[in-house]
Structure formats: structure tokens, C-alpha cells
Amino acid sequence: MPKSFVLVINSGSSSLKFAVIDSSTGEEVISGLGECFGLAEAVISWKHQGTKTQHEIKAKDNHHEYAIEQIVTLIESLGHSKQLVAVGHRIVHGGEKFTSTVRIDDKVLAEIDALSSLAPLHNPAGVKGIKAALNAFPSLPQFAVFDTAFHQSMPDKAFTYGIPQQLYKEHGIRRYGFHGTSHYYVSREAAKMLSQTVEESNIISVHLGNGASVCAVSAGRSVDTSMGFTPLAGLMMGTRCGDLDSGIIEFLIKKGWSQESVFETLNKKSGFLGVSELTSDARGILEAMEEGHKGAKLAFDVFTYRVAKYIAAYLVPLDKLDAIVFTGGIGENALPIRSEIIKNLKLLGFVEDAVANQAARFGQSGIIAKSELLGAVAMVIPTNEEYVIAKQSVELL
């Protein structure tokens, strides 16, 4: 049977991640990153069969287009161009318009662009990546997979804010949620590990990385999630504050802060970085904490406490709980963080298996704790968002 490869593109404002995925196995044939777009030091690098290669991006501008031209040359040089059947794009915001993966045409592209007011940093970059890929691969079908789509199954009571309905009707202000492809993937994998159908499983998915969110998944459908109108809400993250009394914004502006400086602080100078006054990287937090750094310990405590609180809260929308699933860079690898979160869930009966928790790292799945009280487990499952994008693109073919 011939292989069907999908080029998956995740286009950011100053970067472009890409991977060529075998849609039947999820194997990454090639993976790479273009970064520092707009700067003189712009580069593109990729990994193929364990070998990493890097090139300067010599174009003065149009770095997205140049990067994709390099990807085309790379795919052709490795002899994979005939196996490529589609291009899948990760798009951050689909609003209420897009509830599933769609094939891209002029109308879809215009609608993604029109949603830029909801994601001004992300959707314009996604559009730029799509246009470059359409020029580079005019004969290949291209698909958009939305971070927000999985959460469109949330009921009104979960996505509605306690604000005038006019703001929702006129401006679309509501909870949207993000990390949808990750929560979708690990909830399906968890059902397999539990020997259940997706329809009979109840999962709390905990995606912990530089961005972090929790999602309650009932019968395979998102019923609540911690991120909101923007990715700023919910858990404390690497540089984002998470949930915050909105009155603080008014307070700071009255103190003379500009609107830009307030949101620059909340998005880029808060979280691990702001609380620890040290670093936004969880690995740096853990290392400094071991050395007795008080700011790092406080950041660790705030983060793990908030995650546990959200997990406990998300028992409310579920009829029962089968599993808590840790995923994302921190969720998959940071042993002390998982241990502390489980410790904070002692009232729910969770008891850590220290040996299993130690083993479930660096790409390894496993059950790391159990609750006899709830008849549930905590497990680790490495996420694979690129595989979701590739698989859903091929399914639509």
C-alpha cells in the first residue's frame, strides 16, 4: 500500500513549524522550524532520520514564503513529493464558524482572515502560511484544523460569561478554549488505554506546557475548558498570568499604566517568569527550587495548586471520572510537578505510584496514580497534534 504523507504547517508571526507526517502511523518523516522571521538572523532548520540541518534565510522579507520554498526543495530532494497527498494547517481561532476541519478555498481563507480580531497575533500569521503554501503546492488539497473547534461542543452554561448578552451577540465575547487538537488526541488515546469506547469515557485532559489548559471531556466531547476568549485565561503559564480579577486592569490603568504595558505584562512577563522573577521555563524553576530559590518554589506551588483546583472543579461537568491525563512538555516530563498535583488531589483519593511516575517520561505513556474512591486513574500520554492534523486532512480527502 503506497504511503500517504501530509505536510503539516503551524505558521506563527515570526516562525513556521512544519512536519511531514505519515498519516497512517503518525510517524514524523521530517520535522523542522523556521524562526526569527523579520530579523537578520532568520534561519530554517529540519531533522530527517536523526540528522539536523540548518540554513540561513537570505531573503530580506517574505520569510514565510522563502521558508516554504525551502520546504518544497527539501521534500523533493528526499523523494517524498509524490507521496505528499495534502497540506494541513494549524489555525488558532475558528470562532463559532468552524466546528471541524475544513478544506481551504477562497471563502474559507477570507473567513479565517475575518476572525483575526479574535486572534490578532495568530490568525494573520496562519493566513500568511496558507497563502504561501497555496502558491507552493497549487495542485494539493489544503485543510485548516482549528484549535478552537473541539471546544464548540461546550454547552451555553460553560462558554457564557456573566456579562451583557449584547457583548456576545455583537462581538462574539465568550469562552472559546484552545489546545483543542491536543485535548482531542489524548482523550481518544486514554479511552484506548482504558479499553473503553470514546463514547463511554470521561476524561480530564491536562495540557501543561509554556501554554497550559485543562479540559473536561465527556463521551469524547469537550464540555468545559480553562482557556477563555483568549489563551490568557485559566492556569498560570510560562509567561501568562491565567485567571485574574479584571478589576486589576482598571487599577493599573488608573495608576498610569498604558493599555499596552498592562497586557504586555499579563501576557509576556507574568506566570512562572513573573512569580519567580527568574525564568519562564519549568525546568529552570525546578532546578532553582532544588537550590533553595524562594521565588521558584512559590511559582511551583502556585502552578501546581491551580492545576489541581481546575482538575477538582472539572468533576462538576462529568457524570463520573475515568482518567486524568497529563500531556504537553511539562505534563509529559516534569515529574515533581505531576507528583505535587497528585498530592493536592488527596481528598479525591489519588495515590501516586512513584515508580510508574518515574517511568512515564520522555515519550513514554503510563498510569501513574489511582483513586479507589473514584475508580479512576491518572496517566501520562504524549500528545501528537501534528498527527491529528494529518489524519483529519486525509479523512476529508
Side-chain angles (χ1 to χ4, degrees), residues 121 232 238-240 263-270 273 280:
L121 295 178
L232 189 58
T239 63
R240 296 182 191 134
F263 285 97
E264 172 85 5
T265 297
L266 300 183
N267 273 294
K268 297 182 179 179
K269 298 179 180 178
S270 299
L273 177 61
S280 64

Side-chain angles (χ1 to χ4, degrees), residues 97-272:
K97 176 72 179 178
F98 297 105
T99 60
S100 60
T101 298
V102 294
R103 186 164 179 166
I104 296 170
D105 56 22
D106 290 343
K107 182 181 177 184
V108 167
L109 185 58
E111 288 170 335
I112 292 170
D113 197 21
L115 289 166
S116 291
S117 62
L118 296 179
L121 295 178
H122 299 94
N123 275 34
V127 168
K128 196 177 287 187
I130 290 171
K131 286 180 177 178
L134 287 171
N135 288 332
F137 301 98
S139 61
L140 281 181
Q142 306 208 19
F143 300 89
V145 181
F146 300 89
D147 263 14
T148 51
F150 181 54
H151 302 301
Q152 284 298 301
S153 55
M154 285 191 293
D156 293 2
K157 64 183 179 182
F159 72 69
T160 300
Y161 287 127
I163 56 176
Q165 277 289 288
Q166 180 183 358
L167 294 175
Y168 168 56
K169 292 171 184 175
E170 292 184 6
H171 303 294
I173 298 177
R174 51 156 285 180
R175 182 180 303 280
Y176 287 103
F178 300 90
H179 293 142
T181 49
S182 179
H183 293 306
Y184 171 90
Y185 176 79
V186 299
S187 61
R188 268 75 187 154
E189 291 299 301
K192 291 178 190 174
M193 286 180 66
L194 294 167
S195 300
Q196 294 179 337
T197 64
V198 171
E199 291 72 24
E200 65 186 359
S201 63
N202 285 266
I203 309 294
I204 296 176
S205 172
V206 185
H207 179 108
L208 305 179
N210 195 47
S213 66
V214 182
C215 179
V217 184
S218 176
R221 294 162 61 85
S222 170
V223 291
D224 208 346
T225 191
S226 59
M227 282 183 167
F229 180 69
T230 73
L232 189 58
L235 304 176
M236 187 180 88
M237 307 174 214
T239 63
R240 296 182 191 134
C241 62
D243 288 340
L244 184 79
D245 179 351
S246 53
I248 294 169
I249 296 170
E250 180 190 25
F251 175 83
L252 290 174
I253 289 174
K254 284 183 175 178
K255 287 289 184 182
W257 286 48
S258 68
Q259 177 183 313
E260 290 76 17
S261 62
V262 170
F263 285 97
E264 172 85 5
T265 297
L266 300 183
N267 273 294
K268 297 182 179 179
K269 298 179 180 178
S270 299
F272 278 144

